[in-house]
Amino acid sequence: MSSPDPQVRAARNESTPHAARGVRGPVVAVTGAASGIGALLTERLVASDEVKQVIAIDERRGDCAAAQWHILDVRDPAIAEKLRGADVVVHLALDLDLETDSAARTAYNVRGTQTVLTAAAAAGVHRVVLCTSAMVYGALDDNELPLSEDAELRATAEATGVGDLLEIERLARRAPRAHPGLNVTVVRPAVLVGGTDTALTRYFESPRLLVVAGSRPAWQFCHVEDLCSALEYAVLEKVEGELAVGCDGWLEQEEVEELSGIRRMELPSAVALGAAARLHRIGLTPSPAGDLAYTMYPWVVSGSRLHDAGWRPQWTNEEVLAELLEEVSGRRTVAGRRLGRKDATAAGAAGATVALLGAAAVVRRARKARRRI
């Protein structure tokens, strides 16, 4: 017996409740299921009484024995066959590693998302859940506190991985038009904490918290457990559309300094941004200058759609910050560059900061001197 046309099947699935189809719940496929958020979500969905089956997809097998595993790269068109029979796909196979070559990172993230969306439509999947970041709203001095989900995406591609996330957002908006019957939900977490390594978590590994003079940072965190529960809400169709997720409210910079016990180092904007740009350009640090904006200006989100659906965060900003500080204890990062024990001991934390900023100035002077010759 031949399979129904994918678009017919997708439309049928969209309009028919799970209970009416005589099943206990949806079949959910998770990409990037072997590690990080993907592994946590896979375990959570396997344990849920509202999920019938979990299909786990990654380039290696993870630890969740109860899931049905398929080992392949998400950019492989063969993924369409592995998704057949799934009702929902949660795409979490993203590379946002600070140390990854930016061109290779973009090729993986954008091509992977394109392939998953196309494959999901071909396989008759009716819902795809994507995870980007609240960073796509941009960190700007005139941002409202908090931002609504419908706020304009004003980020630029100047921060680590944000260009990829903006392209994924564009793909998400185009997909339902290109594939009628395919529903796409996008989840945008605030500063993610819980086994994560980003420019924003490394900010708290520094011996001093860099504060740019005249800026007004506002810190909102999201624990990975709360992100997973929000993703589960999307999987179970309790909420849809573009969703922001994070702890309720935010912390001012002064509160962060008091809670962390880390003192500030305040620099003029031109010095901080100029040094960050030069250090990144000469390869001394992995973070481009654009990452600094997210420590300068607010990008706090309301999460109203999830709240309206009955979801609540289990973690407060204060609790997540405490966990983050415990995670990064003993690490030393200066200007986004993580120092080894030998580096930190030899230079000293404050000395290392001066050394890196000085290195950028030396390089600049050397280049000027060469141009005069």
Side-chain angles (χ1 to χ4, degrees), residues 96 98 132-140 143 147 152-163 165-166 169 187-192 198-201 220 244-245 288 290-295 298-301:
L96 297 175
L98 287 170
T132 61
S133 167
M135 293 176 78
V136 297
Y137 291 109
L140 297 134
N143 274 347
L147 291 162
E152 183 184 353
L153 305 188
R154 298 197 289 163
T156 64
E158 295 172 355
T160 304
V162 173
L165 300 180
L166 288 169
E169 293 272 353
V187 180
R188 302 167 179 155
V191 179
L192 200 56
T198 67
L200 294 167
T201 59
Q220 181 187 38
V245 55
D291 286 343
L292 265 184
Y294 291 89
T295 70
W299 46 291
V300 172
V301 290

Side-chain angles (χ1 to χ4, degrees), residues 190-204:
V191 179
L192 200 56
V193 174
T196 57
D197 176 27
T198 67
L200 294 167
T201 59
R202 287 192 184 188
Y203 178 81
F204 293 92

Side-chain angles (χ1 to χ4, degrees), residues 38-303:
L40 293 174
L41 181 64
T42 298
E43 292 283 0
R44 184 183 184 96
L45 295 178
V46 160
S48 173
D49 291 335
E50 298 180 83
V51 174
K52 181 177 182 180
Q53 182 187 10
V54 178
I55 301 169
I57 297 172
D58 210 318
E59 293 178 55
R60 64 178 180 84
R61 187 181 181 89
D63 297 328
C64 184
Q68 177 185 333
W69 284 90
H70 295 295
I71 313 302
L72 81 165
D73 188 314
V74 290
R75 294 169 293 180
D76 187 340
I79 195 172
E81 188 56 39
K82 311 304 180 186
L83 296 180
R84 203 164 295 281
D87 300 293
V88 184
V89 174
V90 186
H91 178 48
L92 297 174
L94 294 178
D95 180 3
L96 297 175
D97 193 316
L98 287 170
E99 313 295 341
T100 302
D101 173 76
S102 60
R105 181 173 58 221
T106 296
Y108 179 81
N109 291 335
V110 175
R111 177 65 181 276
T113 303
Q114 287 174 326
T115 303
V116 167
L117 287 168
T118 302
V125 173
H126 76 272
R127 180 180 297 270
V128 174
V129 180
L130 302 176
C131 186
T132 61
S133 167
M135 293 176 78
V136 297
Y137 291 109
L140 297 134
D141 189 37
D142 62 349
N143 274 347
E144 292 184 1
L145 276 170
L147 291 162
S148 72
E149 278 97 342
D150 293 328
E152 183 184 353
L153 305 188
R154 298 197 289 163
T156 64
E158 295 172 355
T160 304
V162 173
D164 296 359
L165 300 180
L166 288 169
E167 182 58 31
I168 289 169
E169 293 272 353
R170 285 190 281 270
L171 292 171
R173 291 183 177 183
R174 289 200 297 262
R177 296 194 297 270
H179 308 289
L182 183 67
N183 182 300
V184 180
T185 296
V186 180
V187 180
R188 302 167 179 155
V191 179
L192 200 56
V193 174
T196 57
D197 176 27
T198 67
L200 294 167
T201 59
R202 287 192 184 188
Y203 178 81
F204 293 92
E205 298 177 15
S206 298
R208 296 285 186 269
L209 297 179
L210 174 62
V211 177
V212 176
S215 65
R216 59 176 194 111
W219 291 91
Q220 181 187 38
F221 300 98
C222 178
H223 196 277
V224 292
E225 291 178 359
D226 282 338
L227 173 58
C228 285
S229 69
L231 289 168
E232 184 178 17
Y233 256 64
V235 163
L236 297 175
E237 303 181 24
K238 296 179 180 179
V239 64
E240 61 180 21
E242 297 168 342
L243 314 172
V245 55
C247 300
D248 289 336
W250 63 89
L251 299 173
E252 302 288 351
Q253 181 70 23
E254 292 74 17
E255 294 176 283
V256 166
E257 291 170 20
E258 182 179 353
L259 289 167
S260 67
I262 308 174
R263 289 183 293 173
R264 68 169 59 194
M265 178 179 70
E266 190 162 319
L267 292 175
S269 175
V271 173
L273 293 169
R278 290 192 295 274
L279 290 170
H280 182 65
R281 188 167 58 248
I282 63 179
L284 284 179
T285 65
S287 297
D291 286 343
L292 265 184
Y294 291 89
T295 70
M296 293 171 60
Y297 302 117
W299 46 291
V300 172
V301 290
S302 69

